[in-house]
């Protein structure tokens, strides 16, 4: 059709999808939204396995911590706090996997990568575990140095180290499983397990 006088013709941007009678026009914006949705789905599916693993693992650690501190008046993590921590750790694992030195020993036996990754993840978990205790004090005292000093004097080191030992074992198991799945293949592992 000819445009009405004074109007500029509108150029359609997008593409035709489908075939036969079920053909329709999809704008570039809709295609872009579809790509965003696909990327979000991909990210969600990637973060799901480590998040589930660490959700269960952190509940075990929380249970041990609750048993160790029973009667001491120390606060125990809630399930919501554990879920948030599991999401953070799950995403941190995925981000760490993007770091080039994470797969430092691709040609060596699997134990090299397992121990390397376990070390990296344990150091990260120790920092997060310490921050878990430091941040509430910092917010209460409004001074980071004072909060850190008070935490060093008040923290029950045997409890802190016991939790870290649990995390070390659980992270080691996680790294073994991840490396085996990487080498054997996800489909083959599903076939073997289920």
């Amino acid at each position: 059709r000819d445009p009405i006088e004074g109007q500029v013709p509108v150029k359609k941007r997008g593409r035709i999808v489908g075939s036969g009678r079920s053909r329709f026009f999809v704008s570039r914006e809709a295609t872009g939204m579809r790509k965003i949705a696909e990327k979000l789905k991909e990210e969600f599916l990637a973060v799901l396995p480590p998040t589930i693993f660490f959700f269960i693992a952190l509940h075990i650690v929380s249970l041990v911590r609750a048993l160790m501190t029973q009667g001491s008046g120390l606060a125990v993590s809630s399930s919501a706090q554990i879920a948030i921590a599991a999401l953070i750790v799950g995403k941190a694992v995925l981000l760490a996997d993007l770091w080039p030195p994470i797969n430092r020993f691709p040609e060596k036996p699997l134990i090299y990568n397992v121990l390397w990754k376990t070390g990296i993840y344990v150091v990260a978990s120790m920092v997060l575990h310490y921050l878990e205790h430091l941040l509430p004090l910092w917010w209460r005292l409004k001074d980071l140095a004072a909060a850190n000093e008070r935490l060093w004097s008040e923290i029950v080191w045997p409890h802190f180290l016991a939790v870290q030992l649990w995390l070390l074992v659980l992270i080691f198991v996680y790294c073994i499983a991840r490396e085996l799945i990487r080498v054997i293949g996800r489909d083959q592992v599903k076939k073997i397990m289920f």
Side-chain angles (χ1 to χ4, degrees), residues 132-143 146-148 150-152 154:
E132 178 187 3
H133 294 288
L134 180 64
L135 291 178
L137 277 174
W138 184 17
W139 283 319
R140 210 169 349 134
L141 299 176
K142 308 286 189 240
D143 181 22
N148 192 42
R150 185 163 173 193
L151 181 59
W152 272 91
E154 290 182 1

Side-chain angles (χ1 to χ4, degrees), residues 102 104-106 108-118:
I102 198 77
R104 190 173 179 131
F105 308 103
K108 301 255 185 187
L110 285 182
I111 194 67
Y112 285 83
N113 259 347
V114 167
L115 292 174
W116 173 250
K117 288 180 180 183
T118 299

Side-chain angles (χ1 to χ4, degrees), residues 36-165:
I36 291 171
E38 288 171 3
K39 184 64 177 170
L40 287 173
K41 180 181 176 185
E42 178 186 325
E43 286 291 318
F44 175 77
L45 292 176
V47 81
L48 196 59
T51 301
I52 290 171
F53 178 87
F54 286 108
F55 182 75
I56 293 167
L58 292 175
H59 268 91
I60 292 169
V61 169
S62 180
L63 176 64
V64 169
R65 199 155 133 196
L67 292 172
M68 287 189 313
T69 60
Q70 190 173 18
S72 69
L74 295 175
V76 180
S77 300
S78 70
S79 201
Q81 290 171 316
I82 292 170
I84 291 168
L87 277 169
I88 291 169
V89 172
K91 189 62 180 174
V93 165
L94 291 179
L95 290 174
D97 286 345
L98 296 175
W99 187 43
I102 198 77
N103 286 316
R104 190 173 179 131
F105 308 103
E107 304 302 322
K108 301 255 185 187
L110 285 182
I111 194 67
Y112 285 83
N113 259 347
V114 167
L115 292 174
W116 173 250
K117 288 180 180 183
T118 299
I120 291 170
Y121 298 153
V122 165
V123 168
S125 76
M126 191 174 291
V127 170
L128 288 173
H129 188 196
Y130 188 77
L131 288 174
E132 178 187 3
H133 294 288
L134 180 64
L135 291 178
L137 277 174
W138 184 17
W139 283 319
R140 210 169 349 134
L141 299 176
K142 308 286 189 240
D143 181 22
L144 180 60
N148 192 42
E149 186 178 315
R150 185 163 173 193
L151 181 59
W152 272 91
S153 67
E154 290 182 1
I155 196 165
V156 181
W157 287 106
H159 293 174
F160 184 86
L161 294 174
V163 169
Q164 280 308 125
L165 284 172

